[in-house]
Amino acid sequence: MSQLLSTLLSGIAQAMPLFLVASGLSLILGVMHILNFAHGAFFAFGAFFLVTLLGSGAPTMLLMVGAILAAGLFVGAVGLVSERLVFRRLYERDHFISLLASYALLLVMEGVALQVWGPNPRTQTQTPALAGAIRFGDITVATYDLVLILAGIAIGGGLWFLIQKTPFGRTVRAVAHDRMMASALGIRAASVGASVFFIGAFLAGVAGGLVAPLVSVEPALGAAFIIQSFAVVIIGGLGSIKGAFVAALTIGIAESAAVSYLPIVTGFSLYIAMAVVLLIRPQGLFGEQKLEGMAA
Amino acid sequence: MTVSEASTENITGLPPRAAPFASQRHPLRGPIEVVALVGLVIVVGLQLGSSLLFLITTAVIFVLFAMSVNVLFGWTGMASFGQAAYFGIGAFTVALAKDADIAPYLLVIAGAVVAGLVAAAFSVLAVRVSGVEFAMLTLVFGQILYLVTFRVPALGGENGIPGIPRGEAFGQSLSEQRSFTIYVGIIVALCLIVLHHIANSSFGAATSAIRDDPVRAAALGIPVKTVRILAFILAGTAAGVAGTLYAQQLTIVSNLSLFWLLSGNAVIMCLIGGMYRFWGPAIGALVFTGADWYLRQRFAAPILYLGTVFLLIVLVLPEGLAGLPDRLAQVVRRQRRTAE
């Protein structure tokens, strides 16, 4: 029982960064209809930025939190710039072209990472306050896992509030539903596009910052993460943030359970889940309609 | 034509003409073009040292790979980011049969068949979705195969499978690079002739109809799903051939031949050369392989320059290098008109 709970918690913790990346990807996909390959690079930039900012040595908790937010803002700015320089020029063109452009952007950003940070992997020392584990009765949970879960829920909730309950979220949903009609009604679709890119990139940057202490930070990190995020988006349904949440949780828990109980499928549970979903519901779990899909 | 007109034209990615790949002017034109192109590359290559000859052979193999990927991208409008899967399957077929005493060209056929069968099995799932979902799904499928190589010890993981013999073809040992280059040239030329023939058949016309407007194509009675599946199998088979040749060329197969960045490279080749011209991807593959080799020698982060060039081509010249003459002619015409 206690092992089951530990497995569950660590699975949920693993799911959170995946959810943050996939929800940004899904948001950009749902609103702008752009499959952003460069999202993985956004994520990697977040991790690199955090490592550079904190340098070697163990940061204090406050510093860590500040650095993660700064990583989000930095990557958000990168997202804004890429929207302005690349994607804004392509809105009138085929989605096909923006797909290729985003792949080109991934290569450019990976090249920049290679040039700036070099090919050698880096590690980020964990804050001492978050390095240990907490015991509840006979269940042991890594402290940082709890941080990941809380951060994921807080950010996911914030995103839901932003999209569902604010005037800004209404304009975003309107553009997602029908860009041309929204423009005709006076919504500035271009600025909504820029904001969506900022938010999506911000989420990826925060996820990168959150994950940095757990992984080796290297230029190929983005490419590795983007594939899992794609699978999450396929399972959850294109453009559905709720779908991304459920799919990321399912995959995180399945993966964690695989490690404990069925090591042979470790690393594959994601793809098995995807194949099953595609066979039964090709549009994904929550991918019925665009409008419903945006309901967070 | 104004810039905005040019960009609306690209909304559907339409090439400027309705015919798929206009070369029906003369029935022999296609094969002659193929033999001339591949022959020229190889004749030039044979004059060079063996390391350059190796590079040129790689480029010719990638010509076939890029052309196979373009069956999906340029012909049918299916954005697959997972064609390395079939390339890799071809390569691994050769690698796994390395101890069997089979003629190398028979292994090429075997690799093509295996790749085609896997493509056929996967296509049934893949054509259930289209657009960006198709792109993601193909990518993910390729990545699954990549991960499998780490799990199955026989596939060698990161170390790959070394010691693949090139063997003998028609009494000629292929371990000498010159004869191997000619062997590759003959096989690639044969494949390209077949592809050219298919591109100009009614099937080729059906693929471009689907690319331009699937709904209209269906209304015209084209079996959209079947054509998509067949295009996917064709692309997978041709990619498999390229993969087998690549394995024989390197005499070692690593799982990098399954990695999704290889799929991405093929897409770049198609785009650099031009997807909506039959020969575009071939030009792109030659340019890409050369540029990649050069940049790798000069810079620590070649991907930065490659990516930047790719991005600029997407933004400025989406019809690729093969579209450059038309684009220049257009500019000249406009200049002349404003001068009058």
Side-chain angles (χ1 to χ4, degrees), chain B residues 90-103 106-107 110-111 161 163-165:
Chain B
F92 271 98
T93 308
V94 171
L96 291 174
K98 67 174 178 163
D99 295 325
D101 189 25
I102 304 174
L106 293 180
L107 282 178
I161 303 175
I164 299 162

Side-chain angles (χ1 to χ4, degrees), chain A residues 13 23 35 44 125 127 135 151 171 260 291 293 295:
Chain A
S23 65
L35 175 63
T125 319
T127 311
R135 294 186 68 86
T171 63
S260 306
L291 196 63

Side-chain angles (χ1 to χ4, degrees), chain B residues 124-177:
Chain B
V124 178
L125 189 66
V127 298
R128 288 169 71 94
V129 297
S130 57
V132 290
E133 273 177 295
F134 179 79
M136 291 196 270
L137 185 62
T138 49
L139 197 166
V140 170
F141 176 71
Q143 208 55 17
I144 294 174
L145 291 186
Y146 172 71
L147 287 176
V148 165
T149 61
F150 290 98
R151 292 305 168 81
V152 182
L155 298 177
E158 263 170 356
N159 302 320
I161 303 175
I164 299 162
R166 282 185 181 172
E168 286 188 359
F170 308 109
Q172 278 280 6
S173 165
L174 295 180
S175 38
E176 210 256 323
Q177 187 61 39

Side-chain angles (χ1 to χ4, degrees), chain B residues 32-233:
Chain B
I32 289 173
E33 274 174 4
V34 178
V35 174
L37 181 83
V38 177
L40 181 74
V41 170
I42 285 172
V43 167
V44 170
L46 288 176
Q47 314 304 318
L48 304 167
S50 71
S51 71
L52 273 179
L53 193 57
F54 190 87
L55 179 73
I56 284 180
T57 315
T58 309
V60 171
I61 294 170
F62 279 130
V63 164
L64 178 59
F65 185 39
M67 296 292 276
S68 83
V69 171
N70 203 46
V71 170
L72 298 175
F73 266 87
W75 296 21
T76 327
M78 300 159 83
S80 167
F81 275 82
Q83 290 310 106
Y86 310 99
F87 185 87
I89 288 170
F92 271 98
T93 308
V94 171
L96 291 174
K98 67 174 178 163
D99 295 325
D101 189 25
I102 304 174
Y105 47 86
L106 293 180
L107 282 178
V108 170
I109 295 171
V113 169
V114 176
L117 287 177
V118 176
F122 177 63
S123 67
V124 178
L125 189 66
V127 298
R128 288 169 71 94
V129 297
S130 57
V132 290
E133 273 177 295
F134 179 79
M136 291 196 270
L137 185 62
T138 49
L139 197 166
V140 170
F141 176 71
Q143 208 55 17
I144 294 174
L145 291 186
Y146 172 71
L147 287 176
V148 165
T149 61
F150 290 98
R151 292 305 168 81
V152 182
L155 298 177
E158 263 170 356
N159 302 320
I161 303 175
I164 299 162
R166 282 185 181 172
E168 286 188 359
F170 308 109
Q172 278 280 6
S173 165
L174 295 180
S175 38
E176 210 256 323
Q177 187 61 39
R178 281 164 170 263
S179 42
F180 185 74
T181 302
I182 294 170
Y183 159 82
V184 167
I186 292 170
I187 292 178
V188 169
L190 284 176
C191 291
L192 293 185
I193 289 171
V194 171
L195 278 180
H196 190 272
H197 198 76
I198 296 175
N200 287 302
S201 69
S202 60
F203 175 78
T207 60
S208 13
I210 290 171
R211 173 197 65 209
D212 292 347
D213 192 337
V215 178
R216 190 187 292 171
L220 287 171
I222 295 172
V224 175
K225 208 165 177 176
T226 313
V227 172
R228 278 190 171 143
I229 288 178
L230 288 175
F232 199 83
I233 296 172

Side-chain angles (χ1 to χ4, degrees), chain A residues 29 35 37 85-86 89-90 92-94 96-97 99-101 103-108 110-112 114-115 223 226-227 230-231 233-234 238 263-268 271 274-275 278-280 282-283, chain B residues 7 10-13 73 77-79 81 125 128-129 132-133 135-137 139-140 143-144 147-148 151 260-261 264-265 267-268 271 275-276 300-305 307-308 310-311 314-316 318:
Chain A
L29 192 59
L35 175 63
F37 272 104
L85 288 182
V86 178
R89 297 163 188 274
L90 302 174
E92 302 303 316
R93 302 240 202 110
D94 189 8
F96 201 62
I97 300 288
L99 180 73
L100 294 171
Y103 182 66
L105 191 64
L106 169 74
L107 296 184
V108 171
E110 216 174 289
V112 169
L114 210 56
Q115 193 87 55
I226 190 73
I227 305 218
F230 278 2
V233 171
I234 292 179
L238 299 192
I264 185 88
V265 299
T266 313
F268 287 94
Y271 304 118
M274 195 188 75
L278 272 172
L279 280 172
I280 300 166
Q283 71 274 42
Chain B
S7 58
N10 280 313
I11 282 181
T12 47
F73 266 87
M78 300 159 83
F81 275 82
L125 189 66
R128 288 169 71 94
V129 297
V132 290
E133 273 177 295
M136 291 196 270
L137 185 62
L139 197 166
V140 170
Q143 208 55 17
I144 294 174
L147 287 176
V148 165
R151 292 305 168 81
W260 72 288
L261 286 177
N265 283 349
V267 174
I268 300 179
L271 194 93
M275 299 180 171
Y276 304 126
I303 197 174
L304 176 59
Y305 305 96
T308 309
F310 181 37
L311 189 59
V314 174
L315 291 175
V316 181

Side-chain angles (χ1 to χ4, degrees), chain A residues 107-235:
Chain A
L107 296 184
V108 171
M109 288 180 71
E110 216 174 289
V112 169
L114 210 56
Q115 193 87 55
V116 175
W117 290 293
N120 299 327
R122 292 146 184 255
T123 48
Q124 173 60 46
T125 319
Q126 180 62 278
T127 311
L130 302 177
I134 298 176
R135 294 186 68 86
F136 300 103
D138 52 353
I139 306 164
T140 321
V141 190
T143 316
Y144 201 64
D145 277 3
L146 284 184
V147 173
L148 283 179
I149 294 173
L150 291 179
I153 290 173
I155 296 169
L159 188 62
W160 175 83
F161 185 81
L162 185 69
I163 302 291
Q164 280 323 110
K165 299 290 171 192
T166 62
F168 167 74
R170 245 192 327 272
T171 63
V172 170
R173 278 179 289 144
V175 173
H177 184 57
D178 189 336
R179 187 185 175 85
M180 203 174 276
M181 183 60 89
S183 302
L185 292 173
I187 293 173
R188 293 178 55 170
S191 78
V192 168
S195 321
V196 163
F197 255 94
F198 176 80
I199 295 168
F202 174 82
L203 292 171
V206 167
L210 278 171
V211 164
L214 300 175
V215 296
S216 81
V217 180
E218 53 191 334
L221 186 64
F225 223 78
I226 190 73
I227 305 218
Q228 295 184 22
S229 314
F230 278 2
V232 168
V233 171
I234 292 179
I235 294 172

